[in-house]
Amino acid sequence: MTRDEVFVKLNEIFQDVFDDEDINVTETTTAADVDGWDSLEHINLLVAIERGFGIRFTMGETTGLKNVGEMVDKIMAHLG
Amino acid sequence: MSLVSAAFLAFVAITALIYYLVPGGARRWVLIAASLVFCASCGFYSLIFVLLAAVTTFIGGMLSGPSKSKGLRNAAAVITVVLNLGILCAVRYYGVIGLFAENLNKIFGATASTNTFMYYVVPVGMAFYTLQLIGYTLDCRWERTEPEKNFFRYLLFATYFPYFTSGPMNSYADLSVKLDGAKDAKFSLERLRDSAIRIAWGFFKKLVIADRIAVIVNSIYGNHEVYGGLYVFIGAAAFAIQLYADFSGCMDVVLGTSHLIGIEMPENFNSPFLAHTIREYWQRWHITLGGWLRDYLFYPMLRTSAFVKIGDVSKKLFGKKKGKKVPTYFGLIILWAAVGYWHGGLMKYVIGTGLLHCFYIILGELVEPISVKLRKTLHSEKMPYKIFQTARTFFLICLGHIFFRANNVPDAIEMYKAIFRPFTINGEWIASLGLDTGNLIVLLISFAVLVAVDIYKYREKQEEEPRLVLQTIASKPVVVAWAVFMLLAVAVLIFGMYGLGYDSGAFIYARI
């Protein structure tokens, strides 16, 4: 899967979790840019990403992510 | 050894003196020695149990690290957590006496009798260090931190004497770096001054406020069949203030002591009684415990397959938006039951500090659509509404404290019933609460100082750094800082509750 393909799929997951079809995530998107992205919704988002990509994050990977770009780095590392 | 005692001050002074006199590389050993002496001074069991927890979590962490096979890592983490939590729960429930043969007590000269309340025989600090050390093993398993190879470096993290009895909780990744930095800490008069003020402020809160207001609390809770109506609320509010002055005073002593050594600890309180909602209250009260439970219990639980399945089913049943909240509610119930149990192995704690708060939070979520409309109508952005919110939150917390402080659940229920009994307020009744006019005036003035400091520190957004009084004092001429210290010290010496038969050493949270 290329980085662009990961972004396309990830964007669909964001739109589904936050119930907003106008969301368009980029490398620099942060929690502050997405309405409703609080710590609880972050857990729902992680579960949806794990399911969508068929991967499993370690707990250490789920905290301290600076932006969506870093999230994509982690997803790509799991996809190999 | 109590944190509020002349012995502790002497212990800190001697430790700090040696600490700053020896070369930087030897400072770790000074702290380890001081910490072990301190743990031993808290009781034989305290030392034995913390060493047991330190050794098992150290080994557990090592075997949970990424270099091992997945099966071994999972097994090591599970065994370590179950073993340490099991010991904590067993000791919490039965007391050490229940676990060990009486003979063992005789050999080591332990004097705790079998019929005392269980917290008297629970080793000091156990509830805090057990969670903190379990956190380290889980961090290793979850690859948040590298397993430590040096046992003595880890032992200092496990036993570090300022926070040994009551926290605040730290993660290994954060604190180990700070402990390593101790070798470069520089002594300065500013450091001594800031530490002295912080410790004196802690003594003031404990000895002048908490131990004084405890007289009123004990009178009302001890004779709940006599006091009715408003007195029940006075008792509940007084206990809330006692608990806050007691626990936050303890934290001031801890943070001040650690600052003297050059190791900064996280704050545990941020003007909690000014919170507008119960949720916000818990983000301001015992902050590091909340953080621990969130990181090691709540979030991991929500990610388990069982909770994900609950989410799937509930989304089908209640629709996507409402359905996805159901697993969160289940998680909250388990989380709050754990919070309550952590405060003590009795139902009164599980209800008063756990499930009741869970009920408040879930109810708040469920009525949110109505609340949104109400807030618009009542101009929630204006001060009167905010004051109403703060008062309402404090009232709800006090309702929980009736369970926390009452002897047991039936007594707490009796007190709730007593709210509806007729009552009179006159001089005679106020005098029966146990404080004479002079003591009442001292209490009111010292409480007003506490409220003023909390209002000064308060920031509406709890994630913002509170305004630190110490920083403000430091920005004034140096004489101001020493005057503040002298004022606090004199107040403690004159107005501290000495000689009335109180055990000032018994910080409420040190017995948890």
Side-chain angles (χ1 to χ4, degrees):
Chain A
M1 219 175 198
T2 65
R3 198 172 179 85
D4 286 344
E5 286 168 338
V6 169
F7 258 104
V8 170
K9 192 163 184 177
L10 187 63
N11 205 47
E12 287 170 11
I13 293 170
F14 265 83
Q15 290 179 351
D16 185 48
V17 168
F18 295 103
D19 224 4
D20 181 356
E21 288 186 5
D22 296 332
I23 290 179
N24 195 9
V25 292
T26 65
E27 294 275 356
T28 54
T29 303
T30 65
D33 303 321
V34 179
D35 207 21
W37 189 355
D38 56 19
S39 49
L40 264 181
E41 213 54 77
H42 185 64
I43 303 293
N44 288 330
L45 179 66
L46 290 172
V47 169
I49 292 171
E50 286 179 337
R51 201 177 256 190
F53 287 95
I55 57 171
R56 181 81 179 155
F57 292 118
T58 66
M59 284 301 291
E61 288 173 317
T62 60
T63 48
L65 295 170
K66 282 199 193 83
N67 51 37
V68 172
E70 285 194 7
M71 191 179 259
V72 172
D73 292 341
K74 300 279 182 203
I75 294 169
M76 295 207 59
H78 276 277
L79 291 172
Chain B
M1 191 188 305
S2 160
L3 296 188
V4 175
S5 65
F8 181 73
L9 291 182
F11 177 77
V12 170
I14 293 165
T15 304
L17 190 68
I18 300 171
Y19 176 82
Y20 281 112
L21 284 177
V22 300
R27 285 183 180 172
R28 181 193 295 173
W29 298 102
V30 174
L31 290 183
I32 290 174
S35 297
L36 291 178
V37 167
F38 182 80
C39 293
S41 81
C42 291
F44 171 75
Y45 289 131
S46 295
L47 182 63
I48 292 299
F49 276 102
V50 74
L51 288 178
L52 181 69
V55 170
T56 52
T57 52
F58 178 74
I59 296 170
M62 197 174 270
L63 297 176
S64 304
S67 63
K68 306 286 189 257
S69 72
K70 200 177 172 192
L72 177 64
R73 295 174 65 191
N74 285 340
V78 169
I79 291 169
T80 309
V81 171
V82 170
L83 177 75
N84 281 282
L85 270 188
I87 292 173
L88 175 65
C89 291
V91 168
R92 178 150 291 333
Y93 202 80
Y94 296 109
V96 176
I97 306 296
L99 291 177
F100 291 94
E102 286 254 340
N103 292 338
L104 201 62
N105 291 307
K106 283 181 191 153
I107 292 167
F108 293 109
T111 52
S113 71
T114 48
N115 60 357
T116 50
F117 283 111
M118 66 187 70
Y119 49 64
Y120 289 121
V121 287
V122 171
V124 169
M126 194 173 201
F128 291 93
Y129 67 69
T130 301
L131 293 193
Q132 183 164 279
L133 299 186
I134 283 174
Y136 162 75
T137 304
L138 291 174
D139 280 345
C140 292
R141 173 63 192 88
W142 292 335
E143 296 174 31
R144 282 175 175 160
T145 193
E146 282 286 313
E148 177 57 63
K149 293 184 181 74
N150 182 338
F151 177 70
F152 290 103
R153 195 163 174 253
Y154 184 70
L155 183 65
L156 181 55
F157 168 72
T159 59
Y160 182 52
F161 76 90
Y163 73 4
F164 175 71
T165 59
S166 312
M169 288 184 195
N170 289 261
S171 73
Y172 188 66
D174 286 343
L175 192 64
S176 58
V177 174
K178 291 179 188 170
L179 290 170
D180 285 347
K183 63 181 187 298
D184 303 318
K186 299 260 186 303
F187 178 80
S188 67
L189 266 183
E190 287 78 25
R191 189 181 286 287
L192 176 67
R193 180 196 66 200
D194 288 353
S195 301
I197 294 174
R198 188 86 199 245
I199 292 171
W201 177 232
F203 271 55
F204 178 83
K205 282 194 209 168
K206 167 70 177 160
L207 292 173
V208 180
I209 303 176
D211 284 357
R212 183 166 272 105
I213 207 165
V215 176
I216 296 176
V217 174
N218 295 343
S219 296
I220 294 177
Y221 280 86
N223 304 289
H224 63 271
E225 63 284 349
V226 177
Y227 294 100
L230 188 65
Y231 286 95
V232 177
F233 285 117
I234 292 174
F239 180 60
I241 294 160
Q242 182 199 349
L243 197 61
Y244 177 49
D246 185 286
F247 190 16
S248 70
C250 173
M251 286 301 110
D252 289 319
V253 177
V254 170
L255 270 70
T257 304
S258 201
H259 179 72
L260 181 63
I261 291 163
I263 294 162
E264 304 306 330
M265 296 260 132
E267 294 285 343
N268 231 356
F269 293 94
N270 182 8
S271 307
F273 290 146
L274 298 177
H276 293 136
T277 62
I278 291 288
R279 193 184 278 276
E280 188 191 337
Y281 165 75
W282 281 100
Q283 286 161 350
R284 295 176 175 276
W285 172 278
H286 210 170
I287 299 165
T288 58
L289 174 70
W292 192 97
L293 290 165
R294 183 192 62 219
D295 292 344
Y296 296 101
L297 177 65
F298 190 57
Y299 289 171
M301 188 163 60
L302 291 183
R303 292 186 61 213
T304 58
S305 56
F307 274 78
V308 172
K309 271 182 197 148
I310 292 172
D312 290 344
V313 173
S314 55
K315 274 181 209 163
K316 276 182 197 151
L317 288 175
F318 306 111
K320 195 174 149 194
K321 214 166 190 178
K322 283 181 186 163
K324 72 177 177 184
K325 289 194 170 172
V326 173
T328 313
Y329 295 154
F330 272 111
L332 282 172
I333 292 169
I334 294 172
L335 173 80
W336 285 102
V339 172
Y341 189 82
W342 180 87
H343 278 86
L346 298 174
M347 194 43 83
K348 64 171 189 153
Y349 294 115
V350 176
I351 297 173
T353 58
L355 294 176
L356 187 65
H357 287 261
C358 179
F359 171 72
Y360 292 153
I361 289 172
I362 294 180
L363 191 68
E365 289 265 336
L366 293 175
V367 300
E368 181 62 15
I370 304 168
S371 304
V372 170
K373 284 178 194 161
L374 204 66
R375 284 200 291 267
K376 256 187 196 161
T377 319
L378 295 174
H379 300 287
S380 63
E381 70 290 350
K382 291 192 176 159
M383 192 51 89
Y385 188 81
K386 288 181 177 170
I387 292 172
F388 156 73
Q389 280 184 309
T390 301
R392 176 200 59 191
T393 305
F394 183 70
F395 174 76
L396 292 175
I397 292 161
C398 287
L399 287 184
H401 281 334
I402 291 178
F403 275 103
F404 191 149
R405 177 58 180 78
N407 292 328
N408 46 46
V409 175
D411 271 12
I413 292 168
E414 282 303 313
M415 288 189 75
Y416 279 115
K417 285 184 193 163
I419 293 170
F420 303 101
R421 269 209 313 263
F423 64 96
T424 49
I425 287 189
N426 55 40
E428 197 182 319
W429 273 81
I430 291 170
S432 76
L433 294 176
L435 287 182
D436 58 26
T437 313
N439 272 306
L440 215 51
I441 291 170
V442 171
L443 178 62
L444 288 174
I445 293 173
S446 53
F447 176 60
V449 173
L450 177 64
V451 172
V453 167
D454 265 22
I455 291 174
Y456 182 80
K457 279 162 60 182
Y458 179 73
R459 288 274 190 270
E460 190 153 344
K461 287 184 179 163
Q462 62 267 25
E463 60 272 15
E464 278 181 37
E465 283 284 312
R467 188 160 38 178
L468 294 177
V469 181
L470 267 178
Q471 271 178 9
T472 310
I473 293 172
S475 67
K476 308 281 179 222
V478 69
V479 65
V480 174
W482 286 110
V484 169
F485 169 71
M486 289 304 291
L487 209 62
L488 285 171
V490 168
V492 167
L493 287 172
I494 296 175
F495 300 120
M497 293 294 275
Y498 305 106
L500 292 180
Y502 296 109
D503 176 9
S504 67
F507 271 120
I508 296 171
Y509 266 74
R511 300 186 308 226
I512 278 173

